[in-house]
Amino acid sequence: MSCLNKVFLVTGSTDGIGLHTAQRLAREGATVLVHGRSEARVQQAVQQVQEAGASAGGTARGFTEDLASLEGVRRLADSVVKDSPRIDVLINNAGVYEKGLRKSQDGFELTWAVNVAAPFLLTACLLPAVTERVVNVASISAASSIDFGNLQQERGYSAHDAYSLSKLADILFTFELADRLARAGSAVTCNCLDPGTVNTKMLAAGWGNIGIRLQDANNEFQVATDPALAAVSAAYFVGGRRTRAPSCCNDAAMRRRLWGVLEEQTGAVWSV
């Protein structure tokens, strides 16, 4: 798809892969809605994205909210829709890796709150405004199974387990939303991806600097913009290629169960 005159919301886009993706979009002439939780960092990122897009007509606007709060997610959605009633592509990029157990304002384990509950609620709030694609950032570190009795790390905290669980949940959410969109006859697609093993703050925190350069991290941009993917939905991409997701993601009953849990946790109301 051409990015010219298209509107992209990229959550968590003040640094790392989110900022890199936002800058690439702006270089293609897109309007990028930059999001972060620090006003100063948001404004700095907006300037960086605008500079990247100057020669192509790309622009940027900033939004500051903490996705660890469900109320913050709702405020973000309200602010975005007031600013831009049409969002061509929503990229749920924001994510955290927490070395120790922390709770969100709503009482959820923080990794779950930011990586799972927030994109679920934000997408529900913004879906009526989305015209083309929802892109969720998952990971090759996703778990292979989900224990509904340990979603909040009740049995003892492990940073890697919490992160892996959150990324499996993102894939399950992606596939279920894609199915619901298709059954509703919507033209909007929903896909997810591993962004690559990239030297970001998150990688350094969890695994060390063992990845590729940030400027080479283009998987997210590809899934958000590749014209060949215009009609592709319910897909998981690794290294730019469609890849088999963990087998449990094909379990419709499991997907629906998680959807119900997240509806109860977030109070999300869906249009599909």
Side-chain angles (χ1 to χ4, degrees):
M1 64 181 284
S2 169
C3 297
L4 192 63
N5 299 320
K6 296 293 179 79
V7 179
F8 293 75
L9 170 59
V10 187
T11 64
S13 48
T14 57
D15 64 6
I17 298 169
L19 176 58
H20 172 67
T21 300
Q23 290 174 310
R24 282 219 58 185
L25 291 167
R27 290 190 190 103
E28 298 295 325
T31 294
V32 184
L33 309 183
V34 172
H35 158 263
R37 61 183 178 179
S38 161
E39 178 66 24
R41 291 177 64 193
V42 167
Q43 292 309 313
Q44 181 181 36
V46 165
Q47 182 176 351
Q48 290 173 287
V49 174
Q50 287 179 329
E51 289 172 355
S55 63
T59 62
R61 297 191 290 276
F63 299 85
T64 306
E65 289 293 350
D66 187 353
L67 297 186
S69 159
L70 294 176
E71 185 56 37
V73 174
R74 293 188 180 93
R75 285 195 302 266
L76 174 61
D78 289 343
S79 298
V80 166
V81 170
K82 288 177 182 176
D83 175 89
S84 180
R86 188 194 87 244
I87 302 164
D88 295 292
V89 180
L90 166 61
I91 304 178
N92 287 309
N93 167 81
V96 298
Y97 177 94
E98 292 294 328
K99 288 189 173 181
L101 177 61
R102 297 174 61 197
K103 295 286 187 176
S104 74
Q105 296 179 28
D106 304 286
F108 301 120
E109 188 275 315
L110 193 62
T111 312
W112 183 267
V114 175
N115 295 9
V116 185
F120 184 84
L121 177 57
L122 183 64
T123 305
C125 293
L126 293 179
L127 191 60
V130 176
T131 65
E132 297 190 29
R133 305 183 191 192
V134 175
V135 177
N136 295 323
V137 176
S139 173
I140 56 171
S141 298
S144 59
S145 63
I146 186 166
D147 181 352
F148 283 93
N150 195 38
L151 297 182
Q152 304 304 314
Q153 302 293 299
E154 292 92 336
R155 296 176 188 152
Y157 185 76
S158 161
H160 284 97
D161 287 353
Y163 183 78
S164 296
L165 170 65
S166 75
K167 292 303 161 181
L168 175 61
D170 287 337
I171 302 173
L172 288 162
F173 161 49
T174 297
F175 285 13
E176 180 62 19
L177 177 55
D179 183 59
R180 289 171 181 247
L181 288 165
R183 286 189 279 115
S186 173
V188 175
T189 64
C190 184
N191 294 302
C192 59
L193 70 136
D194 169 65
T197 303
V198 184
N199 286 330
T200 61
K201 290 188 301 183
M202 184 182 296
L203 186 74
W207 295 270
N209 287 319
I210 57 172
I212 64 172
R213 301 179 309 164
L214 181 59
Q215 54 265 45
D216 296 326
N218 297 314
N219 293 346
E220 191 170 304
F221 174 82
Q222 177 202 3
V223 175
T225 64
D226 189 346
L229 303 180
V232 174
S233 198
Y236 169 53
F237 293 87
V238 175
R241 298 180 178 180
R242 190 168 185 170
T243 304
R244 182 179 299 175
S247 58
C248 65
C249 297
N250 298 316
D251 185 334
M254 183 175 292
R255 296 197 308 261
R256 289 194 295 269
R257 183 179 179 186
L258 177 62
W259 188 280
V261 168
L262 287 167
E263 281 185 318
E264 183 175 349
Q265 288 180 345
T266 64
V269 177
W270 288 87
S271 56
V272 294

